[in-house]
Amino acid sequence: MHNAILPGILRINDEMVALRRQLHAHPELGFEEFNTRRLVMEKLQGWGYQLTEGIGGTGVVATLQCGRGPTIGLRADMDALPIQEETGLPWASQIDGKMHACGHDGHTAILLAAACELARSRRFAGTLHLIFQPAEEGHGGSGAKRMLDDGLFRRFPCDAIFALHNMPGIPLGKLGFRAGAFMASTDTITILIHGTGGHGAMPQRAVDPVVVAASLVLALQTIVSRNVPPLETAVLTVGAILAGEAANVIPASAELRLTVRALNPAVRELLHQRIHQLAEQHAAGFGARAEVQFQHGYPVLVNDDVITQQAMLLASEWLGAGNVIADLAPLTGSEDFAYWLEQVPGCYFIVGNGDGDGGCMVHNPGYDFNDEALPLAASFWVRLVEHWLGPATTA
Ligand SMILES: [Zn+2]
Ligand SMILES: [Zn+2]
């Protein structure tokens, strides 16, 4: 066991690992984390936290004030995924078709372990909000967004916010950071092309939406290659084309479904503008009409430069620079903590989950959160709070 782990965390480690496995065996999907919420609240209540529930459905905010000082918010996500578990572990999911395949059971247990120690030691001056969030996976909508809509930061203002995520493949005992844009925005776009249907033998009497769609798929590829600056990241994938049925019938309409991703809000905006423009005008060039529908997903996750630097320095001093990855490559995955970082500065960082047996990535039916990552991550939460809020004042 790493010697940086706090003795207070070490003392409760077995209990927290047992809790993590209990959560793992009983996974709940987004906005249905009733059992998880009950377990979380029971623990926090016992340690003297002031609890507020009903924020973002099954969300819970636990507050602990200790003297006067700034306010910090730490977030753990609680939801599982609609995946059939295949680990065969003794604590494997007991619920068919549901699984903690992203390690949110671990994140919840980590934050609870830190909560226990922080309530005991109280070596900080300020206010601590522990935010237990539902539905990070977007199953039924974004839990982070729903908590915001319910006035999260109006009711619980924070000076800085933090969240962590485990990452298989990053060695156990290591923490990873990246200042600035770290995870991609993700939007779904539907383009409906309205033509004029007709007989397949008489195309001159129709406006063929299939030809428009085919041409538009290729034209859309020029947005990334010709409009996005070469050193920026962008993805535009046409994942579905739906049109027609019979070989001798020209259908009246066609539909394209796209996913677009970016690591810069300006590029995200550019993608939207160009897709809109190109679809409408390209279709018009054929005498058809395009209708573009945007379904906004999670925004770009942008870590605050200064706060990320501070957290990284703290981790380096504490764990040694060799255990800190200072410049993780950005990820094209997305994360709804990004909504909060648009309003409050903060840092989302990575905790090594190790390679394990088989070394499964998250969202894989063979994945499991690595319990050995728990005490280190919980200790870092405690250190971060003490560092960020400063030492307790003896009044
Ligand atoms: Zn996930
Ligand atoms: Zn996750």
Side-chain angles (χ1 to χ4, degrees):
M1 193 82 58
H2 208 288
N3 59 13
I5 291 165
L6 300 171
I9 293 290
L10 211 49
R11 270 197 298 277
I12 56 168
N13 192 46
D14 289 351
E15 186 193 338
M16 290 300 132
V17 167
L19 178 83
R20 200 289 291 181
R21 292 177 181 183
Q22 187 182 354
L23 292 172
H24 191 88
H26 301 94
E28 295 173 299
L29 300 182
F31 300 118
E32 295 171 4
E33 304 92 337
F34 301 111
N35 198 37
T36 308
R37 175 179 62 180
R38 186 180 52 76
L39 277 168
V40 164
M41 289 178 68
E42 272 172 16
K43 291 283 178 199
L44 292 165
Q45 216 143 29
W47 299 326
Y49 282 83
Q50 192 187 322
L51 300 179
T52 308
E53 54 178 319
I55 302 182
T58 36
V60 178
V61 179
T63 303
L64 187 68
Q65 197 185 347
C66 199
R68 293 169 74 86
T71 301
I72 189 173
L74 309 183
R75 175 271 227 171
D77 37 17
M78 303 188 288
D79 58 321
L81 283 156
I83 293 175
Q84 183 67 39
E85 180 157 353
E86 289 172 11
T87 64
L89 291 164
W91 54 88
S93 172
Q94 292 176 15
I95 297 163
D96 242 21
K98 297 180 188 177
M99 175 188 177
H100 266 297
C102 205
H104 300 182
D105 49 344
H107 305 165
T108 300
I110 289 166
L111 193 53
L112 282 175
C116 178
E117 174 59 7
L118 284 160
R120 190 193 63 80
S121 58
R122 294 183 187 240
R123 283 191 303 259
F124 61 89
T127 302
L128 175 63
H129 294 308
L130 305 180
I131 308 167
F132 291 86
Q133 183 208 304
E136 190 286 319
E137 300 288 0
H139 204 76
S142 156
K145 180 78 168 50
R146 280 249 319 249
M147 290 190 92
L148 273 190
D149 293 344
D150 282 351
L152 177 66
F153 293 125
R154 192 169 32 78
R155 294 163 70 182
F156 305 95
C158 292
D159 295 307
I161 52 171
F162 296 87
L164 60 75
H165 206 293
N166 76 94
M167 183 70 73
I170 294 199
L172 207 59
K174 288 195 194 244
L175 300 179
F177 297 86
R178 179 173 189 92
F182 183 28
M183 293 182 81
S185 60
T186 173
D187 300 310
T188 302
I189 296 170
T190 304
I191 303 174
L192 288 165
I193 298 158
H194 301 286
T196 306
H199 198 298
M202 291 177 270
Q204 77 281 10
R205 312 247 326 243
V207 176
D208 189 346
V210 175
V211 173
V212 180
S215 180
L216 183 56
V217 169
L218 296 179
L220 287 169
Q221 301 313 308
T222 65
I223 296 176
V224 174
S225 71
R226 302 290 87 184
N227 301 134
V228 173
L231 296 180
E232 295 281 358
T233 299
V235 180
L236 187 161
T237 294
V238 181
I241 306 180
L242 302 119
E245 216 155 339
N248 61 351
V249 177
I250 294 169
S253 65
E255 184 179 327
L256 303 182
R257 293 180 188 161
L258 288 67
T259 184
V260 296
R261 291 168 188 241
L263 280 165
N264 175 339
V267 171
R268 183 191 196 194
E269 188 49 42
L270 174 72
L271 288 170
H272 284 202
Q273 270 176 20
R274 285 297 296 142
I275 289 168
H276 204 265
Q277 225 171 19
L278 194 54
E280 283 188 350
Q281 294 178 15
H282 202 75
F286 287 87
R289 185 173 62 83
E291 200 183 318
V292 185
Q293 294 165 352
F294 292 92
Q295 224 181 303
H296 288 83
Y298 299 171
V300 182
L301 184 141
V302 184
N303 279 328
D304 184 82
D305 286 344
V306 174
I307 289 172
T308 303
Q309 191 68 23
Q310 287 169 338
M312 199 171 63
L313 278 176
L314 174 70
S316 297
E317 283 165 18
W318 176 56
L319 288 172
N323 287 317
V324 175
I325 306 165
D327 198 13
L328 275 176
L331 304 168
T332 46
S334 59
E335 164 55 72
D336 68 354
F337 190 64
Y339 285 114
W340 297 0
L341 287 174
E342 286 184 328
Q343 300 196 5
V344 181
C347 172
Y348 177 89
F349 60 96
I350 295 297
V351 174
N353 200 55
D355 286 320
D357 295 336
C360 277
M361 196 18 103
V362 290
H363 292 213
N364 183 299
Y367 164 87
D368 187 35
F369 174 80
N370 191 336
D371 288 318
E372 287 184 54
L374 196 155
L376 187 93
S379 297
F380 187 64
W381 271 152
V382 174
R383 294 285 295 113
L384 188 68
V385 169
E386 291 173 354
H387 176 81
W388 182 259
L389 295 181
T393 44
T394 43

